[in-house]
């Protein structure tokens, strides 16, 4: 296949996203790596002491996932016939995932802001009310669905690339294992492992 300068630039951008994105995700967890706390109140009190790190964590995670999902969406451009339909659907769902992760971390920024209010009891009550009902709770549910769709999109792109014989099965295995571990355990060390697997898959 003859690569044009546009194709070459696209490949460099995709490779950059597949490396830099997971790297930023790993850093986002590492900067605020803590053991699970006993209650939501304890988590909130911890956030009052580390709100700066929480903002950095959320910002890096947002950028990281944007790069990862955009790279997977861009990877679908390599598919012409075989695997093309899967790649197209996967690319579209990856874009949906970008919006979902951005919305999710916007909630994190809001909570970090509330954690800085001088009256911690009122701030915690406000945060609890926002998360338990109303617009923010709805945004949280929608963002979760969009995040899942984004991860499905990544899988579809990889399956499309496998059908086109561009990549082997290992990237798909790493992504599936990382996603399942993250959802099943939900602890920061496991999340760190999931992001490391994503880096290896890229």
């Amino acid at each position: 296949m003859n690569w044009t300068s546009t194709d070459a630039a696209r490949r460099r951008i995709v490779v950059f996203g597949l490396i830099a994105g997971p790297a930023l995700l790993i850093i986002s967890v590492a900067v605020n790596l803590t053991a699970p706390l006993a209650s939501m109140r304890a988590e909130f009190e911890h956030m009052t002491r580390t709100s700066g790190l929480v903002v950095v964590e959320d910002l890096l995670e947002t950028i990281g996932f944007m790069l990862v999902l955009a790279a997977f969406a861009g990877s679908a451009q390599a598919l012409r016939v075989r695997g093309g339909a899967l790649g197209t659907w996967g690319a579209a769902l990856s874009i949906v995932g970008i919006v979902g992760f951005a919305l999710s971390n916007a909630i994190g920024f809001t909570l970090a802001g509330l954690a800085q209010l001088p009256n911690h009891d009122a701030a915690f009550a406000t945060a609890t009310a926002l998360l338990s009902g109303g617009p923010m709770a709805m945004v949280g549910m929608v963002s979760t669905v969009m995040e899942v769709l984004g991860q499905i999109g990544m899988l579809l792109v990889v399956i499309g690339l496998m059908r086109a014989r561009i990549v082997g099965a290992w990237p798909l295995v790493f992504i599936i294992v990382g996603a399942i571990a993250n959802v099943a355990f939900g602890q920061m060390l496991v999340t760190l492992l999931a992001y490391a697997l994503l880096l290896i898959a890229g």
Side-chain angles (χ1 to χ4, degrees), residues 93-184:
L93 291 178
S94 294
I95 300 301
V96 172
I98 290 176
V99 179
F101 280 104
L103 288 174
S104 177
N105 284 327
I107 296 175
F109 293 137
T110 301
L111 295 178
L114 286 173
Q116 291 306 291
L117 295 178
N119 189 332
H120 290 180
D121 290 333
F124 178 71
T126 301
T128 303
L130 288 173
L131 293 175
S132 61
M136 184 171 289
M138 181 64 69
V139 169
M141 289 188 291
V142 170
S143 66
T144 299
V145 172
M146 296 176 80
E147 289 172 12
V148 172
L149 290 175
Q151 294 179 60
I152 293 173
M154 290 166 53
L155 295 177
L156 291 179
V157 170
V158 173
I159 293 172
L161 293 171
M162 288 170 56
R163 290 195 62 193
R165 303 183 188 281
I166 296 175
V167 300
W170 283 112
L172 185 65
V173 173
F174 287 131
I175 292 172
I176 291 175
V177 171
I180 291 175
N182 195 22
V183 172

Side-chain angles (χ1 to χ4, degrees), residues 3-22 24 63-78 95 98 202:
W3 291 94
T4 66
S5 59
T6 301
D7 291 327
R10 185 180 294 121
R11 286 186 68 189
R12 285 194 290 270
I13 291 171
V14 167
V15 170
F16 173 78
L18 291 176
I19 295 174
L24 287 177
I63 296 172
F65 269 115
M66 285 182 174
L67 287 174
V68 169
L69 291 166
F72 272 93
S75 298
Q77 294 291 325
I95 300 301
I98 290 176

Side-chain angles (χ1 to χ4, degrees), residues 26-42:
I26 291 172
I27 295 172
S28 74
V29 176
V31 297
N32 194 26
L33 187 60
T34 56
L37 299 180
S39 65
M40 183 176 173
R41 181 60 187 255

